[in-house]
Amino acid sequence: MHIRRLAVAVPLVLASALAHAPAAHAEAGLEPRTFKTPSEAEAREAGWTSGLVVDLSPEYRTRVIHVDPLELSGVLARDVSWAEQRLRLDLAISKPGVASVFVQADILDGVLYGDNGDFGREPNVTSGLGIASKQPNLAGWRVGLVDTRYPLDIDSYGPVLVPVAPLEINFAYGEVMLPFGVLRVGRQPITDVATITLNDGRSGRNRWGASTWHESADRILFGTKISEAWHLARKGREHVVDKSVDDGVFMGVIYDFLVNDRVHVASDDLRQVAGQLEWKEREASWFGLDWKNVYLSGALSYRWDDRYQTGIYGVPFRGGFDVGPMRFRGDLTFILGESQELSAGFGKLTGKDPVDQEFDAMGARAVVDYDVGDFTLSAEWAYATGDDDPRPSTPMKIFSFARDSNLGLLLFEHVLAFQSARSAAVGIENLKQLEAESFPLTEIATEGRVTNVNAIFPQVFYSPIPSLRLKAGALFAFSQTLTVDPIQTTLAWDGQDIADDRLNYHGGKPGNYWGTELDLGVEWNFRDMFYAAVEGAYLLPGSGLRDENGDAVPSWMIESRFTFRL
């Protein structure tokens, strides 16, 4: 058995659901780490001739964040500051060219610096006297009930301390390299790329902000390079197999166990199947131009259950290419179908029976980069449908980006995340008192996800030396539809026309502009083992963020990150 870092290429065949494309978003030099089974040739080149290869890759990260204010039209969350940490361990045990077992674990994920909490209550401090504290505890924070006298008032919710589990297993799965494809089984990353719908949460997925959330699935996955099968059928034994994963046509199919609940009842199971095709061209000469890293993929997923009569289709597309100094990356996703799960929860608030609610949502993103010397000029467009009528009798049109597919630093990642979490908490408390069966209101908390937006985001990056990058951007965030808070609007609905009952997340009338955000940052990479970043943002709130008096103050933030990788 050998214990050592091994940088290898992905083996012979890989599902397009797993295949990699050049990232449109990444911190300077901080490339996402993904699991790979080494080939026998690569193992021999590295000096291994037999036995297992054990690859242990640690990453420790600290974030220090200050936001003032987090609440744009109140006094509860001003001058909010915290420092948090995470130790991530990626472990791969491989038989080169044959199979691997992969595990990812997070230790102290989201744990605050310091000994935080109250003596005798959770989270419990290690010392009853602050000045005598000699050991930090395991505390984090979230939005929760601050004033217990008024649990149905949104102003009663704010930052509260909570205990944090010291260890969390994100992924644990096996992979075997078959003669005709790759098979993965277990709790695995929902993707190995970052898109508007899927993001594995690995560090380095974003140009702005940090990845903080992993997405996983209990899944059976098979993938193969179907273009090689075509060539073998045509040429027979004369064909030399192309083992690369950046040329050819790839196919992947998956089966996901999403919800099982009662093991003896099949009707409450939620399942998903999906298939994907991806075409890749490493280099090409078309129309007199030299093209590189060309890729185009399309997929179809279907998830269903009997309990809520769910039948939902997802249709995502991705594409990109490099031509000279220009790079393009794009995503487009449609969500279609119907389910009663949302209306089962909202029906408790309105006194209505569950109905088959239609799903009709769409999201898109396009990024164009152009290199001019040491500068990179970037233009980004982001689009996600919203819904200004939260009643279950109308189609559900809300589209949200994957949690770690960021857009800027402050507006979606912190301000909207905080206020939507307060609204969701009020809705959940209402449903608890009504003993509801479904709690769809948890999804109203955006958790930093981009939603209901039609934004343009011009940016510029300057790298005077490879290890240093300066960056700036201006986010102009229009909303796709009115900035309606589904919870507050539903609670205010008088049972007649919904138009005069609409409220935004701050209790005011909805608008069509989230605001303008100005972002600045500097990143430094030292020997690919230490990464430091300082980022700042200033938000000028638009009409969609003003309270019932038409007020919303500007907000600013600064974040420092220190990442150690071995």
Side-chain angles (χ1 to χ4, degrees):
M1 179 179 293
H2 309 272
I3 301 179
R4 183 175 168 186
R5 290 286 301 134
L6 178 62
V8 298
V10 183
L12 169 61
V13 284
L14 194 60
S16 58
L18 306 175
H20 302 270
H25 294 264
E27 294 183 57
L30 188 59
E31 293 296 327
R33 282 176 168 168
T34 53
F35 295 123
K36 304 174 181 69
T37 299
S39 68
E40 293 179 348
E42 290 159 339
R44 285 194 299 270
E45 290 177 5
W48 293 291
T49 57
S50 63
L52 299 178
V53 175
V54 179
D55 180 353
L56 178 62
S57 306
E59 175 188 291
Y60 177 78
R61 184 184 71 192
T62 291
R63 303 176 70 197
V64 183
I65 303 171
H66 179 88
V67 182
D68 181 22
L70 193 54
E71 180 186 11
L72 301 184
S73 56
V75 296
L76 182 62
R78 309 187 72 87
D79 289 318
V80 180
S81 299
W82 73 97
E84 65 182 41
Q85 57 195 303
R86 183 187 73 188
L87 172 61
R88 171 161 288 180
L89 299 176
D90 288 328
L91 174 64
I93 305 174
S94 305
K95 177 68 174 178
V98 181
S100 298
V101 172
F102 304 110
V103 179
Q104 183 186 89
D106 285 339
I107 300 173
L108 303 182
D109 186 14
V111 170
L112 300 175
Y113 273 36
D115 190 14
N116 309 292
D118 298 301
F119 188 75
R121 295 192 302 176
E122 292 290 338
N124 193 6
V125 293
T126 60
S127 174
L129 190 63
I131 58 175
S133 177
K134 297 181 177 65
Q135 187 181 64
N137 64 346
L138 302 175
W141 79 271
R142 62 171 175 80
V143 173
L145 187 60
V146 176
D147 189 343
T148 57
R149 297 173 300 169
Y150 308 106
L152 301 183
D153 185 352
I154 194 171
D155 292 327
S156 296
Y157 293 83
V160 298
L161 294 173
V162 293
V164 175
L167 174 66
E168 181 179 3
I169 305 298
N170 299 337
F171 311 133
Y173 65 97
E175 174 181 282
V176 61
M177 309 309 298
L178 303 171
F180 46 84
V182 59
L183 178 68
R184 281 186 176 183
V185 180
R187 182 158 296 183
Q188 55 193 275
I190 200 164
T191 181
D192 274 351
V193 294
T195 71
I196 59 174
T197 48
L198 303 172
N199 194 316
D200 56 17
R202 291 183 167 101
S203 297
R205 290 297 190 199
N206 293 292
R207 287 175 169 172
W208 299 93
S211 298
T212 60
W213 182 261
H214 76 277
E215 291 186 340
S216 61
D218 292 327
R219 166 176 293 175
I220 299 173
L221 180 150
F222 172 76
T224 187
K225 189 173 181 179
I226 59 174
S227 55
E228 289 306 298
W230 168 253
H231 293 317
L232 284 169
R234 289 179 57 228
K235 301 179 181 179
R237 296 182 179 179
E238 297 179 359
H239 176 64
V240 178
V241 176
D242 178 7
K243 299 181 180 181
S244 70
V245 295
D246 50 10
D247 255 322
V249 179
F250 301 84
M251 180 186 72
V253 292
I254 64 170
Y255 183 89
D256 287 345
F257 300 79
L258 299 178
V259 178
N260 193 48
D261 281 349
R262 295 168 294 179
V263 297
H264 64 290
V265 177
S267 61
D268 59 9
D269 296 348
L270 181 66
R271 298 286 188 257
Q272 176 172 267
V273 294
Q276 182 172 348
L277 285 175
E278 183 164 35
W279 165 62
K280 287 186 172 185
E281 197 78 28
R282 183 171 47 231
E283 294 181 347
S285 179
W286 302 324
F287 312 109
L289 300 174
D290 293 329
W291 302 69
K292 295 182 179 179
N293 302 317
V294 180
Y295 68 95
L296 180 64
S297 72
L300 176 65
S301 68
Y302 178 70
R303 61 178 56 189
W304 73 96
D305 73 7
D306 293 329
R307 175 167 44 178
Y308 295 114
Q309 304 300 310
T310 298
I312 298 177
Y313 293 92
V315 189
F317 300 94
R318 298 173 53 244
F321 57 83
D322 301 347
V323 177
M326 187 186 75
R327 297 178 300 279
F328 170 81
R329 305 288 181 265
D331 296 276
L332 173 64
T333 298
F334 299 93
I335 305 295
L336 306 167
E338 60 182 25
S339 175
Q340 293 185 4
E341 187 168 5
L342 294 178
S343 66
F346 275 97
K348 283 289 186 178
L349 297 180
T350 61
K352 305 293 184 180
D353 293 329
V355 297
D356 290 326
Q357 185 175 18
E358 180 183 349
F359 282 64
D360 185 9
M362 188 191 84
R365 180 180 62 182
V367 181
V368 177
D369 293 336
Y370 194 89
D371 295 329
V372 182
D374 295 331
F375 289 87
T376 297
L377 307 179
S378 180
E380 181 172 358
W381 170 69
Y383 181 88
T385 53
D387 195 342
D388 58 6
D389 188 345
R391 293 174 296 178
S393 58
T394 61
M396 205 293 292
K397 298 182 178 181
I398 297 175
F399 186 97
S400 297
F401 282 20
R403 180 168 175 174
D404 274 328
S405 296
N406 295 345
L407 183 67
L409 286 168
L410 179 57
L411 170 60
F412 293 102
E413 183 75 6
H414 296 291
V415 170
L416 186 58
F418 174 75
Q419 198 63 27
S420 64
R422 299 175 81 190
S423 179
V426 173
I428 291 170
E429 185 62 34
N430 272 274
L431 292 183
K432 285 181 179 178
Q433 295 189 15
L434 295 170
E435 298 181 348
E437 179 181 338
S438 171
F439 285 80
L441 309 189
T442 57
E443 294 302 307
I444 300 304
T446 65
E447 299 177 321
R449 291 172 291 191
V450 177
T451 186
N452 186 16
V453 73
N454 188 3
I456 54 174
F457 190 17
Q459 303 153 70
V460 59
F461 302 87
Y462 173 54
S463 297
I465 56 177
S467 62
L468 180 66
R469 182 167 75 170
L470 308 177
K471 57 186 181 179
L475 173 63
F476 303 94
F478 298 86
S479 62
Q480 187 273 330
T481 187
L482 291 174
T483 57
V484 168
D485 176 350
I487 305 298
Q488 300 305 312
T489 299
T490 299
L491 293 173
W493 182 39
D494 58 11
Q496 304 300 318
D497 187 8
I498 195 71
D500 58 345
D501 301 314
R502 295 186 180 116
L503 298 173
N504 68 24
Y505 287 100
H506 294 266
K509 289 299 180 183
N512 288 107
Y513 192 61
W514 290 111
T516 302
E517 177 180 312
L518 306 177
D519 296 327
L520 290 172
V522 56
E523 299 166 345
W524 179 53
N525 167 14
F526 179 67
R527 300 182 67 177
D528 293 329
M529 290 188 180
F530 174 69
Y531 305 82
V534 178
E535 297 177 327
Y538 186 78
L539 173 63
L540 296 167
S543 59
L545 295 175
R546 302 189 184 279
D547 65 12
E548 63 273 21
N549 300 313
D551 296 328
V553 299
S555 177
W556 65 274
M557 71 162 287
I558 187 167
E559 174 177 347
S560 300
R561 286 193 305 278
F562 307 98
T563 304
F564 302 81
R565 272 189 169 187
L566 299 176

